[in-house]
Amino acid sequence: MAQQRIANVIAAATVVQALALALPPPAAHAQAFPVKPVRIIVVWPPGGSNDVVARVMAQRLTETVGQTFVVDNRPGATGTIGSEIVAKSPPDGYTVMVNSATHVANAHVYKKLPYDTMKDFTGVAPLAVQVGMLVVHPSLPVKSVKELIALAKARPSEIAYASTGTGSYTHLTMALFLQMSGTKMLEVNYKGGGPAVIGLLAGETQVFFVGIGSVAAAVQAQRLRPLGVASDKRLKAFPDLPTVAEAGVPGYEMTAWIGSFVPAATPRPIVERLNTEFRKALEHPDVTKILGAQALDPMPMTPDEFAQRLRSDYDKYERLIRAAGARAG
């Protein structure tokens, strides 16, 4: 009987060993990946900075990786609808999310989300630094930040500004501006940067503080008037445009990022493969030229570096949202 048990154990061990040998090691999964098209879910509508970055990346990766990278816009609820889709997708690397720093802000804006912001996602890589530009409709009689502040104080809550939802980058940049300048304006919500720009051009609103990629073309065509940028230094793409801090709100600075994510259980080798391909794409002259034209500077990081940034920003946005009172249901 004892000999039979020993024989059974040896046989079972042999089967396990054979199965282990038959399965490719983790590195092999990364080398083989991808073997089918990859879906990039953008949680914002077409036309905004997130969409611009995602499409540039998708085109470049399709050319270099050997598989098609397809952009799929799933906007709504300040990015939470698309985020839920990604959180509940198979963790195999074939569903990638592109989202802004609003992703971590939402954790503090909404009392309840259908996912855990920090536990249900793995950050692959930040893709670009997002710098906001304060623009106004040409019909608004202001040509500087100081003039906008003076008009807003003379007409409290009468000037309408566009927003892409509570806790979004466009909302928080403006909330901070209003707080630091001591002014009040009327918030008008849109589903994303693209629709908000259309509304602004149509005169539905008069002011928008948004990622430059969403308004660069309209500014260059002189259909919108720029007043300042949210960074702490002037931008190379707009050297004559002052920062909001130097133009009338000392100490103002509010920059963010656009990044890529996958479901949390995605194997590390696949995360690293995606990270490598994204970083290679960010170094390509064609990509840097397109992003640079819209004042979107590449932001390459390793997955571990991005994880540290996410934890830091998670705490940063908690403080900002509490101070701004930017809570939703």
Side-chain angles (χ1 to χ4, degrees):
M1 184 67 70
Q3 290 180 338
Q4 184 61 44
R5 284 199 297 269
I6 293 173
N8 290 340
V9 170
I10 293 174
T14 302
V15 171
V16 171
Q17 184 178 24
L19 289 172
L21 291 172
L23 292 172
H29 285 294
Q31 291 172 0
F33 175 86
V35 296
K36 61 181 182 180
V38 177
R39 181 171 61 152
I40 298 179
I41 291 183
V42 181
V43 304
W44 302 97
S49 298
N50 287 261
D51 185 64
V52 169
V53 172
R55 292 183 186 280
V56 171
M57 290 287 100
Q59 180 178 348
R60 182 61 191 163
L61 267 61
T62 295
E63 295 171 355
T64 59
V65 176
Q67 284 292 341
T68 303
F69 283 71
V70 181
V71 173
D72 181 6
N73 295 88
R74 294 299 185 96
T78 323
T80 59
I81 291 177
S83 297
E84 181 181 6
I85 293 173
V86 176
K88 296 178 180 179
S89 294
D92 54 11
Y94 290 98
T95 303
V96 179
M97 176 174 75
V98 168
N99 199 352
S100 65
T102 300
H103 180 57
V104 292
N106 281 340
H108 308 296
V109 171
Y110 294 96
K111 294 179 180 179
K112 186 176 181 180
L113 289 171
Y115 53 81
D116 187 301
T117 300
M118 300 302 286
K119 294 181 180 179
D120 290 345
F121 301 88
T122 294
V124 175
L127 304 174
V129 177
Q130 189 176 29
V131 178
M133 178 183 284
L134 180 62
V135 297
V136 297
H137 190 276
S139 64
L140 198 68
V142 300
K143 294 185 178 180
S144 69
V145 170
K146 288 184 178 180
E147 289 182 0
L148 175 61
I149 292 173
L151 185 64
K153 287 184 176 180
R155 297 165 48 187
S157 301
E158 292 183 17
I159 299 173
Y161 74 90
S163 168
T164 55
T166 302
S168 67
Y169 179 67
T170 64
H171 174 253
L172 293 177
T173 50
M174 199 64 192
L176 185 62
F177 177 82
L178 296 175
Q179 184 184 69
M180 294 182 68
S181 63
T183 56
K184 293 182 179 180
M185 297 187 198
L186 177 65
E187 181 182 5
V188 179
N189 281 303
Y190 293 85
K191 289 185 177 181
V197 172
I198 293 173
L200 178 63
L201 291 171
E204 295 174 357
T205 59
Q206 291 79 51
V207 182
F208 197 17
F209 214 146
V210 63
I212 293 175
S214 297
V215 293
V219 167
Q220 291 166 356
Q222 298 184 344
R223 298 181 66 193
L224 294 175
R225 181 182 301 134
L227 302 183
V229 291
S231 52
D232 58 356
K233 296 179 181 178
R234 294 194 182 198
L235 303 177
K236 293 181 180 179
F238 299 90
D240 297 328
L241 189 62
T243 66
V244 170
E246 65 180 314
V249 188
Y252 185 93
E253 187 275 331
M254 184 66 185
T255 56
W257 41 260
I258 295 169
S260 54
F261 301 80
V262 290
T266 303
R268 177 73 182 202
I270 291 178
V271 173
E272 292 180 347
R273 174 72 195 281
L274 284 168
N275 177 275
T276 297
E277 296 302 333
F278 276 127
R279 293 174 70 184
K280 285 181 181 178
L282 290 174
E283 294 174 355
H284 194 274
D286 291 346
V287 172
T288 56
K289 182 179 179 180
I290 294 172
L291 296 183
Q294 302 193 54
L296 291 166
D297 292 333
M299 191 180 177
M301 285 185 178
T302 66
D304 289 338
E305 290 170 339
F306 192 25
Q308 292 178 357
R309 176 63 185 261
L310 289 170
R311 284 192 292 270
S312 174
D313 281 359
Y314 184 87
D315 295 336
K316 167 188 169 183
Y317 278 94
E318 181 180 20
R319 294 190 297 270
L320 176 59
I321 289 165
R322 187 187 300 118
R327 293 282 297 180

